[in-house]
Every structure is written in structure tokens, then in C-alpha cells.
């Protein structure tokens, strides 16, 4: 049990530090939070791929799946920052930008998660 907690904590530490660095490196443009959007999109793609590939073509152990999925991706992506950024845009009267951010986050995230699942499925078919 303790090794699972350590795996999630270690993955979470790495994911949080990476998110912080990328959010500073990719600035907002005209108030649009590109950094958080790109972080969340890449997390959707990665998690869709990881959770599909983990037990199939890659044979990743449950502990590594916890570290990479729950720990790393959970800390790397951020729904709370998405919500606060959206509220900030609305509070400043940037309703159109806020709606574009919501739509691009939700639709883009779902599409990228789907692409991640499909990529893993294709890779699994090639590996077997």
C-alpha cells in the first residue's frame, strides 16, 4: 500500500513541477490562457493513450499506471485552474473568449483523449 502512495506522490510531484514550468513558459495571449489549455489537452491525449496501452501492448504494472496516470497526469492537468481562468475572463467581461476557452477545452480534450485511445489501440494491434 505504501509503495502505491509513494508512486502517486512521486508522479504528482513531477507533474506539478512540469505544469508550473510550462504554464510560465507558454504565456496567455490577449487574456487567453494558452498554457493551461495546452497542458490540459496534452494530459487528455496522454491519459487516453496510457490507460488504453497500459494493460495491452505495453504491459505497464499497476503501480506505474498509478504513478503516471493518477500521480503525474492528475497533477499535471488542472481543472481548477481551468475554472478560475474561465471565471477571470468572464469577470473581466471577456465572455466570447471565455466561451471559446470552455469549448476548446472540452471539445479539444475529448477529441485528444479519443485520439490517445485510438493510438494505443493501433499500437496494440501492431504489437500483438
Amino acid at each position: 500500500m505504501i509503495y502505491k502512495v509513494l508512486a502517486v506522490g512521486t508522479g504528482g510531484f513531477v507533474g506539478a513541477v512540469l505544469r508550473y514550468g510550462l504554464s510560465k513558459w507558454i504565456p496567455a495571449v490577449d487574456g487567453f490562457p494558452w498554457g493551461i489549455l495546452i497542458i490540459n489537452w496534452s494530459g487528455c491525449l496522454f491519459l487516453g493513450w496510457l490507460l488504453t496501452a497500459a494493460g495491452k501492448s505495453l504491459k505497464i504494472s499497476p503501480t506505474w499506471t498509478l504513478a503516471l496516470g493518477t500521480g503525474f497526469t492528475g497533477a499535471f492537468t488542472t481543472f481548477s485552474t481551468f475554472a478560475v481562468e474561465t471565471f477571470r475572463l468572464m469577470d473581466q467581461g471577456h465572455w466570447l473568449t471565455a466561451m471559446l476557452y470552455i469549448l476548446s477545452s472540452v471539445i479539444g480534450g475529448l477529441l485528444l483523449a479519443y485520439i490517445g485511445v485510438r493510438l494505443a489501440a493501433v499500437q496494440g494491434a501492431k504489437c500483438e
Side-chain angles (χ1 to χ4, degrees):
M1 172 64 174
I2 190 69
Y3 63 91
K4 290 180 181 180
V5 172
L6 290 173
V8 171
T10 302
F13 173 78
V14 173
V17 169
L18 185 58
R19 178 185 73 215
Y20 175 76
L22 284 175
S23 69
K24 296 302 178 194
W25 185 59
I26 305 170
V29 177
D30 295 328
F32 193 89
W34 283 105
I36 299 302
L37 181 64
I38 291 168
I39 287 165
N40 287 339
W41 274 355
S42 61
C44 290
L45 177 68
F46 177 71
L47 193 62
W49 173 82
L50 174 71
L51 295 182
T52 303
K56 294 182 179 184
S57 59
L58 295 181
K59 306 291 187 221
I60 298 174
S61 75
T63 303
W64 274 103
T65 302
L66 275 174
L68 294 171
T70 303
F72 175 80
T73 310
F76 180 65
T77 59
T78 173
F79 185 77
S80 57
T81 303
F82 159 72
V84 169
E85 291 289 344
T86 302
F87 176 76
R88 183 186 58 75
L89 288 167
M90 291 187 296
D91 192 47
Q92 293 174 351
H94 302 290
W95 287 89
L96 179 60
T97 303
M99 293 304 116
L100 288 172
Y101 184 47
I102 292 168
L103 289 173
S104 60
S105 293
V106 173
I107 294 169
L110 290 170
L111 178 63
L112 286 162
Y114 172 78
I115 291 169
V117 168
R118 299 305 311 149
L119 283 172
V122 168
Q123 290 172 339
K126 289 181 180 177
C127 293
E128 297 176 345

